[in-house]
Amino acid sequence: MFQALLHHDGAWLAVAAMVGFASVLMTLSVVQRAPSGLAKTPGPWWLAATGVAGGGGIWAAHAIALLAFEPLAGRHFDLPIALAAVLIGVASVVGAVMVMAGRRRSTAPFLAAVLLATGFALMHWISLAGLIDSQLLRPSPLLVIAALALMTAVVVAGMLTVWRAGGLHRLIAAASLVVTGGFVGYLLTMSQAGEAAVALSGGLAPPDMSRMAVSFTTMVMVMAVLGVGVAGVLLDRHLARAARVEARRVTDLANVALESIVLLRDDGIVEVNRSFCRLTGQNRDSLIGCRFSELFIDDHRLSVVQALEQPGGPGREFRLAAVGQTEGVPVELSVRETEAHENASRVALLRDLRDQHEAEARIRYLAQHDALTRLPNRALFGDRLAHALQLAERYENPVALLLVDVDRLQEINKLRGQDIGDGVLRQTAKRIKNTVRGSDTVACLGGDTFAVIQEGMDQPHAADKLARRLLTRMGVPLIVNGNEIAATVSIGIAVAPTDALVGSALLAHAESALQRSKDGGRNRHTFYEARMEEERRARQVLGVDLRNALRAGDLHVHFQPVADVGTGSLLGFEALARWTHPERGVVPPGLFIPVAEESGAIVDLGEWMLETVCQEATRWPLACTVAVNISVMQFEKSDLVAQVDGVLERTGLDPARLELEITESVLIHDTDYAVEVLNRLKARGVRIVLDDFGTGYSSLSYLKRFPFDKIKIDRSFVSEIGDSQQSAAIVRGVIGLARGLGVPVVAEGVEQAAHVDMLREEGCDQMQGYLIGRPAPIEDYGDLVFDHPMAAQPE
């Protein structure tokens, strides 16, 4: 091989090496740009043209080297054989370019190297065959195999070098290795052909092509290679610049994306954006090269690997093991195939689900909790009660349900304001929560009602103790916005499985017990009894019967007289509703009036009473007054002024004879509205009486804001004036207050002559009670009303 090297012209051989190096460098530069996936990369036609130019340049380098071989000086080429050598050289380079440009398999560099080495070897031997008689060329088979293997190995090294992405230094190294491989093959070939060339003597092939023609052809090839090389360099610089701009744009877009983006080859991380770094709490350098699945919690790693193997599917939720997150970060992972990066085959898109989970949890919380007290609401209470009853049935573990109702909350709201009422509810909820065990459920069922589910205790003793503790704690006044509020509670209790094992039934039983506590005076607790359910159903039936009685005209009116304390003369009557049931007989007012209020029939009852009483009073020769009670519901839910106007117009009753009795509850609910309505009624000549004064809040502001025509002292005080100093003091105080305001006072519940004497001494104006007369049909007072038409006149 070294002897063959000594027979060459060194200058021409250097030119051949430079031409070959330039051709290979240009070709590899274009090939490396092909699979980048960026914009403006060379297409297949440009790659084919590059292969042709590169193959021609390599053949030109080969031809220059042959021209530099001194023993062949003056020899002539056989034209067909020379053309065949050119075509083989070009074809091998074009094939290698296409294989490398595709980069679909890891075997591409080996296949390209075999194509180049085989093409170089054939090109060498065919070219020699065109210069030397083939009978003189008898190469050693072992040498041919060794030359081909050595040349292939060197070229493989060059292909592997350019296979990886890199800069100009990799291209130069790869081109150097390929050219070295080609020259090694050439020199080994010439070492076999050298002796034949020196021993040439006649019998040479016919001179079809002169060395001058070969020189000219070689010059054309060199110029073409240089032209393509310059174009390739310019194209490479343009593509490199475009690639950098495109890469920067893609990187900037990826970094500003809210989603985390990870480029992967199999399970290995190739590239990440900033969002993923923030999500994991790690920097880019520590993430590159890591296994993607190992960034997730242990239970999810296998599923992540399966998701990577099946790209294109819907997003799935996993837990990312981020720095500082003990339970992992919930993310939605979507996997897609990609060709946008030469080293990546998959792209993983991750969306942080923490905000979504927090929003969903917030929505669930709001849907299951009361906004004011932050306690579970009726929906969540129902679920917990059902679960507790399931355990009670399975393990025979009793459950107590306590309903806690804040007494007179509506009055607090009207008297003190809605803010104070809300504060009472919040503090009541807090006191209940602090009184029960942590395992007990406290819920707000809406309005002023709370519920407590007590499990795993000795019932009903545990519920009784808890109710007593609640009553004691609620007995201490609340401080709301600097105001001291006395807010007691009433409690109803039902126990499972004794009373019921179905949630709705147990709740209904607790409500019945709660109602009994309210009816019994409030601020107490009551356990459910079976008879309560019967009473509740009976009250419902009674409510239906009451409405039917109103339509059928089964109700009637009794009248109780009101007399002057000083003279005992009749001044008027108070009208009272009475009901005789066709089956039950006489139904006491204390029974059907509460039923009417609960069912809403009290409005219809009030309208019927007003119409009936006014119509009846017009028949009386005695022009005395008649009083009709107005309920809170009737006052609020009907146009009372229009109703009174209509009744007076239809009946023709003098408005001065009609008295409307209201309680403080009417004023508490909406004082401004109530005062406006009362003023309109009084402007029509109707008298307004404040009933049951002393039993409610007895606020003097009501007496100041509205000039009542009468004040009635409740019978509970009058009936005890002979036995209770406190009651007597209250009666004296009310009479003195009314005298100072110039308002007449009516004392109810007068049943003894001593009561009359005391009232006369204190200056009370009017009296009413069993001593004067019991409620009865107006015919029972016929001698007073019909026989003495001028016995009294209304004041």
Side-chain angles (χ1 to χ4, degrees), residues 86-151:
V86 173
L87 292 176
I88 289 174
V90 170
S92 65
V93 174
V94 171
V97 166
M98 292 301 181
V99 170
M100 289 291 289
R103 291 198 180 189
R104 298 298 182 189
R105 301 176 183 175
S106 57
T107 57
F110 299 97
L111 181 58
V114 170
L115 287 174
L116 288 177
T118 304
F120 290 170
L122 290 175
M123 184 176 63
H124 292 329
W125 285 107
I126 291 175
S127 295
L128 287 176
L131 293 172
I132 304 175
D133 190 346
S134 58
Q135 295 182 354
L136 298 176
L137 290 174
R138 294 182 178 182
S140 169
L142 292 177
L143 184 61
V144 171
I145 294 174
L148 187 60
L150 182 60
M151 183 166 50

Side-chain angles (χ1 to χ4, degrees), residues 406-422 424 478 485-488 668 697:
V406 180
D407 296 332
R408 296 187 175 90
L409 181 64
Q410 289 186 351
E411 295 181 3
I412 295 175
N413 285 334
K414 298 300 181 180
L415 187 64
R416 299 297 186 94
Q418 189 70 40
D419 291 341
I420 298 296
D422 290 345
V424 168
L478 301 171
I485 307 295
T488 59
I668 288 174
Y697 286 93

Side-chain angles (χ1 to χ4, degrees), residues 338-643:
T338 182
E339 297 180 0
H341 196 282
E342 56 187 342
N343 288 330
S345 59
R346 300 281 189 273
V347 58
L349 304 175
L350 299 96
R351 185 166 62 92
D352 191 346
L353 298 180
R354 285 177 290 187
D355 290 343
Q356 177 180 325
H357 283 190
E358 290 178 2
E360 292 173 351
R362 180 63 177 168
I363 292 173
R364 286 194 300 270
Y365 180 86
L366 293 176
Q368 296 179 340
H369 289 77
D370 177 64
L372 180 63
T373 63
R374 306 302 183 188
L375 293 176
N377 60 12
R378 183 177 288 270
L380 183 55
F381 160 78
D383 293 340
R384 294 189 178 179
L385 180 60
H387 181 262
L389 293 178
Q390 288 177 357
L391 296 180
E393 184 176 13
R394 182 179 305 172
Y395 301 109
E396 298 182 356
N397 189 25
V399 174
L401 173 61
L402 293 81
L403 292 185
V404 183
D405 193 89
V406 180
D407 296 332
R408 296 187 175 90
L409 181 64
Q410 289 186 351
E411 295 181 3
I412 295 175
N413 285 334
K414 298 300 181 180
L415 187 64
R416 299 297 186 94
Q418 189 70 40
D419 291 341
I420 298 296
D422 290 345
V424 168
L425 286 175
R426 281 192 293 266
Q427 292 199 28
T428 300
K430 185 177 181 180
R431 285 192 179 183
I432 296 174
K433 190 71 175 175
N434 292 337
T435 303
V436 304
R437 300 173 304 164
S439 59
D440 295 334
T441 295
V442 180
C444 180
L445 303 188
D448 54 2
T449 303
F450 299 91
V452 179
I453 303 174
Q454 187 183 54
E455 301 179 64
M457 302 286 285
D458 180 21
Q459 300 296 352
H461 304 293
D464 181 71
K465 292 180 179 179
L466 175 59
R468 294 180 185 277
R469 290 199 303 270
L470 287 172
L471 292 173
T472 300
R473 293 198 176 186
M474 290 304 301
V476 179
L478 301 171
I479 304 300
V480 181
N481 298 339
N483 299 285
E484 183 177 293
I485 307 295
T488 59
V489 296
S490 299
I491 303 174
I493 308 171
V495 178
T498 305
D499 298 329
L501 259 178
V502 178
S504 58
L506 191 68
L507 181 59
H509 294 341
E511 289 174 346
S512 298
L514 176 61
Q515 187 62 47
R516 177 60 62 88
S517 294
K518 292 180 178 179
D519 295 341
R522 297 184 173 89
N523 192 25
R524 57 185 297 179
H525 71 287
T526 305
F527 280 89
Y528 169 77
E529 298 176 2
R531 60 186 177 87
M532 294 179 183
E533 185 64 21
E534 298 175 1
E535 293 175 358
R536 185 180 67 83
R537 287 195 293 266
R539 290 168 73 93
Q540 291 178 344
V541 173
L542 193 63
V544 175
D545 291 346
L546 178 59
R547 289 187 179 276
N548 293 333
L550 282 169
R551 288 192 292 267
D554 292 339
L555 275 77
H556 50 278
V557 181
H558 282 190
F559 296 88
Q560 186 174 23
V562 178
D564 184 273
V565 174
T567 65
S569 60
L570 177 68
L571 299 176
F573 293 93
E574 178 182 0
L576 302 170
R578 292 296 182 263
W579 179 21
T580 301
H581 194 280
E583 298 177 359
R584 296 172 179 264
V586 176
V587 181
L591 180 59
F592 75 80
I593 294 298
V595 170
E597 292 175 344
E598 292 174 9
S599 63
I602 193 68
V603 177
D604 295 333
L605 178 60
E607 293 178 358
W608 175 84
M609 280 286 293
L610 186 62
E611 183 84 27
T612 303
V613 169
C614 290
Q615 186 68 45
E616 173 64 30
T618 58
R619 299 191 308 111
W620 303 344
L622 181 65
C624 61
T625 62
V626 61
V628 180
N629 289 282
I630 303 297
S631 68
V632 175
M633 192 173 297
Q634 182 183 3
F635 193 92
E636 292 180 343
K637 294 190 176 181
S638 63
D639 189 346
L640 186 60
V641 176
Q643 185 180 348

Side-chain angles (χ1 to χ4, degrees), residues 41 59 101 255 337 353 493 505 511 603 621 624 673 682 709 755:
T41 53
W59 181 87
N255 283 331
E337 292 184 341
L353 298 180
I493 308 171
E511 289 174 346
V603 177
C624 61
Y673 171 75
K682 192 167 184 177
D709 296 289
H755 295 166

